[in-house]
Every structure is written in C-alpha cells, then in structure tokens.
Amino acid sequence: MALTKDTTAAIVTKFGANDRDTGNTRVQVALLTERIKQLTEHCKTFKKDKGASRRLIILVGQRRSLLKYMQRTDLEGYRALIKELGLRK
C-alpha cells in the first residue's frame, strides 16, 4: 500500500533539485499526490475500510496546506506544479 522505494526515488529526482532533496515542498506535494492516488483506488475497492478513508482525508489536508504555503511563497512554481501534477482543471 505504501510507496515503493523506486517510486519515491523517481518522484524525488523528478521534482527535487537533486536525488536527496526530499524536504522540498514540490517533492512533498508530489509524494502526497501519488499516495492519495493509491489510497483513492483502495477506497473505491474497499468501501468499508474507514481507516483508509480517514487517512485519505488527512493526506488531502496535508497536501492542501503545503499548496497554500507554496501559493503564498512561490506563485509561479505553484502554478507550474499543479499543472504538471494535473490537480486543478
């Protein structure tokens, strides 16, 4: 259910400045987005799994907070990130 090391490493190298840049806001949002996609599919399959549903809501809130921070500090980077991740249409 969790992200594999390979998936995590690929996301970090794609969105970070280097392969060890895990604290970058862009990297954190991308990792949360991938985890949210996985949990969404899980919750569609197992509708009565309330723990997973709760965790999904928590992760969406964390991502929203990071995106609000990014919108305040780096508006152009925020717009590029949501376009690249396909978050808002």
Side-chain angles (χ1 to χ4, degrees), residues 11 18 22-23 34 44 55 70 74 77:
I11 291 172
N18 56 39
T22 57
E34 186 64 31
K44 286 179 183 176
R55 187 63 190 158
M70 199 167 174
D74 181 21

Side-chain angles (χ1 to χ4, degrees), residues 18-85:
N18 56 39
D19 59 344
R20 295 175 49 104
D21 189 17
T22 57
N24 192 337
T25 309
R26 291 176 45 90
V27 174
Q28 290 181 24
V29 170
L31 288 171
L32 283 172
T33 301
E34 186 64 31
R35 183 76 173 114
I36 287 169
K37 286 178 186 176
Q38 285 184 356
L39 265 178
T40 303
E41 291 303 316
H42 175 82
C43 288
K44 286 179 183 176
T45 306
F46 303 101
K47 296 186 185 311
K48 293 188 177 186
D49 189 355
K50 299 304 178 190
S53 300
R54 182 177 187 278
R55 187 63 190 158
L56 178 62
I57 292 169
I58 291 170
L59 290 176
V60 170
Q62 286 177 349
R63 183 177 70 179
R64 186 181 328 144
S65 297
L66 286 171
L67 285 172
K68 284 173 70 174
Y69 165 76
M70 199 167 174
Q71 188 176 19
R72 280 194 325 263
T73 58
D74 181 21
L75 186 60
E76 292 303 317
Y78 164 78
R79 289 180 179 157
L81 182 64
I82 61 171
K83 189 173 187 177
E84 190 171 354
L85 292 174

